[in-house]
Amino acid sequence: MGQGRTALRACAAGAVSAALVAGTVVGLAPAAEAVPDVRFVDIAGDGGTVLKANVLTPRGADGTRSYPLLVLPTSWGLPQVEYLAQAQQLADAGYVVLTYNVRGFWQSGGEIEVAGPPDVADASKVIDWALAHTPADPGHIGMAGVSYGAGISLLAAAHDKRVKAVAALSGWADLIDSIYSGRTQHLQAAAVLDGAAGLTGRESAELRTIFDNLYASDLTTEQQMIDWGRKRSPATYVDQLNRNGAAVMLANAWGDTVFPVNQYASFYEKLTGPKRLELRPGDHATAELTGLFGLPNDVWTDTRRWLDHYLKGADNGVDREQPVRLKSRGAGDYEGYPDWKSVAAAREKFALAGSPTIHANVDSGADGGIVFLSSILDQVAQLPPMASMPLLPRRWAAVWQSERHGNVQRVRGTASLHTTLTPTKESGTFIAYLYDVGPLGVGKLVTHAPYTWHGRTPGEPFAVDLDLYSTAYDVPAGHRLALVADTVDPLYAEHNPSGAQLTFSSPVDDPSYVSVPLGEQ
């Protein structure tokens, strides 16, 4: 992939991140003025690094009793006022609430460690400080947060047995599967994170190297990046988390372009303690956003119920509800399931016949959209990225369509692709898209995923199995499903050398297909 195109995309996504972060900060700033009893403090984190924090205690706290403690690490690039609206409501409900700016951002000291060991140690130091300086109850400690704060909360709960409950909103469980799934760099997402870090924080030399190697597609550093990511992934420590027994609530959005939902659902299945998984329409952190302004919000309402039950002992029924809660990307109520496997009641396969050959290096017009913007449009207006199936150029896109469906198809869960691929070069990338196609041939994007390979023998076929991003989408009666494959998408890095061609085939003894998960009709 050309470095000029990489730089252009990084700059564009960086500009988007700067606007988003700046707008959020400006919007949240008045919240600090609206909370007169907030106490701003300095806390010595790991190695003495100063962490800027704020503390709210229940009104009337006079030292005669203790209260559950809730610790909220900030999101990537956001200041310590991020949670003040929620913190005030939680304090009014009887919590000691401590929000702190994670190291490397804003006025806190140190450098950005990306939820590394110093960040995990910081969380324990913050708890230590709260127990020594507030009326916090050492037996009832919880952590919660959005995005970066979610990941740090999960990691802290795996390393500190004092944490009894966690609400991890729009977070990650597997960092590499988030930004490098399908062995493909999620270029726009990485650039958003990089841009926000440069605007609001101080990147460590290690982080700068990780970003540079990611952009450069340097395979000699691939294992180094994977090892770096594993150290920062809650999934790596799931056994410790299970032994510690914290009650874990996970919430995410179907269209999260930073932390796709697949890795969260997989992590949820490995948890053995009290747990809950909520998935809704939206993009990264957009489902929680209105709650940060103190407005009614489903995610924060359920977060409060979860914490009230596991930290305060409230008999609010949250433990008796179906633990997996989904909301389709269209209109409809929440759906409850006993576990993730039960989301799909059946699977339907449609064959990918023929042997189309496509040329690489040109965007066919089938795309996953633009980071944040496309999924937000889908969230608020049910307008996902679209493409016309008849107009997609077959030189650069392979297209297969199912028969028309007589009934609504309730896609629920993770669609998967199986095919045989013959490339003309040893490395390459393709992106698979699943569309809902109406009578006029216009397709609305249901889901997609990238796939990259290296070190293959040119001209030699090999089997490909690819899970697309999990989703909940209702395909109307009379519509078709379509699978499209092309080689360029602005969301991702591409690894197709100039002049590369890809042939998709369906051998008799190993036919190609798409397997679509369907909920109960």
Side-chain angles (χ1 to χ4, degrees):
M1 180 182 59
Q3 293 301 309
R5 179 160 43 187
T6 302
L8 178 61
R9 290 175 179 169
C11 289
V16 170
S17 75
L20 287 170
V21 171
T24 304
V25 171
V26 170
L28 290 174
E33 299 173 4
V35 185
D37 53 349
V38 62
R39 180 160 59 105
F40 291 90
V41 299
D42 290 350
I43 298 175
D46 185 53
T49 297
V50 174
L51 304 175
K52 297 293 184 177
N54 58 66
V55 183
L56 290 91
T57 55
R59 299 184 189 277
D62 56 7
T64 61
R65 57 163 294 191
S66 59
Y67 301 87
L69 169 65
L70 183 61
V71 175
L72 300 166
T74 52
S75 302
W76 185 275
L78 294 188
Q80 57 174 305
V81 298
E82 175 187 5
Y83 301 113
L84 277 183
Q86 283 297 322
Q88 181 66 71
Q89 294 178 17
L90 287 160
D92 288 343
Y95 289 89
V96 172
V97 186
L98 194 156
T99 294
Y100 71 97
N101 233 131
V102 291
R103 65 170 54 221
F105 284 104
W106 294 87
Q107 288 82 26
S108 284
E111 297 177 324
I112 301 169
E113 299 287 345
V114 195
D119 289 303
V120 178
D122 283 346
S124 291
K125 292 287 188 181
V126 168
I127 292 172
D128 292 342
W129 186 95
L131 293 177
H133 296 88
T134 74
D137 182 347
H140 296 85
I141 298 172
M143 292 190 66
V146 176
S147 185
Y148 197 36
I152 291 176
S153 295
L154 287 170
L155 289 164
H159 289 84
D160 193 325
K161 294 180 180 180
R162 296 175 296 179
V163 179
K164 304 301 183 185
V166 173
L169 316 179
S170 290
W172 76 93
D174 186 325
L175 191 56
I176 295 303
D177 199 34
S178 296
I179 63 173
Y180 194 57
S181 68
R183 213 177 175 187
T184 308
Q185 295 93 327
H186 294 210
L187 197 63
Q188 284 190 10
V192 165
L193 297 174
D194 191 3
L199 179 70
T200 63
R202 298 166 299 282
E203 294 180 350
S204 66
E206 181 183 36
L207 176 57
R208 186 67 262 155
T209 298
I210 291 293
F211 275 132
D212 290 344
N213 289 341
L214 188 77
Y215 297 143
S217 304
D218 184 355
L219 290 178
T220 65
T221 65
E222 183 181 44
Q223 190 59 49
Q224 174 189 346
M225 181 183 68
I226 291 172
D227 293 342
W228 173 87
R230 282 177 178 160
K231 185 185 296 185
R232 292 159 168 80
S233 296
T236 302
Y237 311 100
V238 67
D239 290 341
Q240 292 175 217
L241 185 58
N242 287 334
R243 283 195 298 270
N244 289 349
V248 177
M249 172 181 157
L250 306 173
N252 209 338
W254 295 118
D256 195 317
T257 45
V258 179
F259 302 132
V261 298
N262 297 47
Q263 43 91 35
Y264 238 24
S266 175
F267 178 67
Y268 171 83
E269 287 290 271
K270 296 173 183 175
L271 295 172
T272 58
K275 59 183 180 178
R276 185 178 179 94
L277 175 66
E278 300 188 356
L279 299 172
R280 301 171 172 84
D283 204 312
H284 184 64
T286 62
E288 302 90 352
L289 184 59
T290 57
L292 293 178
F293 294 91
L295 301 174
N297 180 277
D298 289 351
V299 187
W300 285 103
T301 296
D302 287 348
T303 294
R304 173 82 69 80
R305 296 177 65 232
W306 186 256
L307 297 172
D308 283 351
H309 179 74
Y310 288 102
L311 295 181
K312 298 173 68 177
D315 185 14
N316 54 21
V318 72
D319 58 321
R320 297 188 293 273
E321 296 172 353
Q322 297 275 41
V324 175
R325 283 171 51 83
L326 313 180
K327 190 170 187 179
S328 171
R329 287 161 51 196
D333 296 328
Y334 285 97
E335 304 164 6
Y337 301 89
D339 51 42
W340 176 248
K341 296 187 293 293
S342 300
V343 169
R347 300 191 74 90
E348 177 187 348
K349 290 184 179 180
F350 74 85
L352 307 180
S355 298
T357 296
I358 62 174
H359 295 249
N361 311 122
V362 174
D363 191 337
S364 71
D367 286 326
I370 300 172
V371 64
F372 287 121
L373 299 181
S374 296
S375 291
I376 291 174
L377 276 175
D378 188 28
Q379 177 184 359
V380 301
Q382 288 78 57
L383 289 175
M386 292 185 284
S388 171
M389 298 301 108
L391 298 182
L392 286 175
R394 273 28 178 198
R395 179 180 177 84
W396 297 300
V399 181
W400 299 266
Q401 296 192 71
S402 72
E403 298 297 323
R404 296 188 189 277
H405 292 96
N407 301 312
V408 173
Q409 302 296 295
R410 300 177 67 248
V411 179
R412 296 291 186 274
T414 308
S416 58
L417 164 68
H418 175 76
T419 190
T420 297
L421 178 64
T422 306
T424 59
K425 305 291 184 180
E426 68 172 14
S427 295
T429 299
F430 77 87
I431 304 91
Y433 309 89
L434 186 66
Y435 283 98
D436 158 25
V437 183
L440 298 180
V442 176
K444 294 183 177 182
L445 187 63
V446 177
T447 181
H448 76 287
Y451 183 89
T452 293
W453 66 93
H454 297 287
R456 292 288 180 176
T457 302
E460 184 174 302
F462 62 93
V464 171
D465 287 288
L466 176 63
D467 284 343
L468 308 188
Y469 299 140
S470 304
T471 194
Y473 182 98
D474 295 338
V475 180
H479 286 211
R480 306 174 187 265
L481 285 170
L483 191 285
V484 176
D486 74 0
T487 63
V488 177
D489 190 305
L491 288 172
Y492 307 107
E494 60 156 315
H495 298 265
N496 300 293
S498 180
Q501 298 179 32
L502 312 180
T503 298
F504 298 88
S505 59
S506 184
V508 174
D509 59 347
D510 187 20
S512 296
Y513 60 84
V514 174
S515 176
V516 180
L518 300 176
E520 292 184 1
Q521 300 300 310

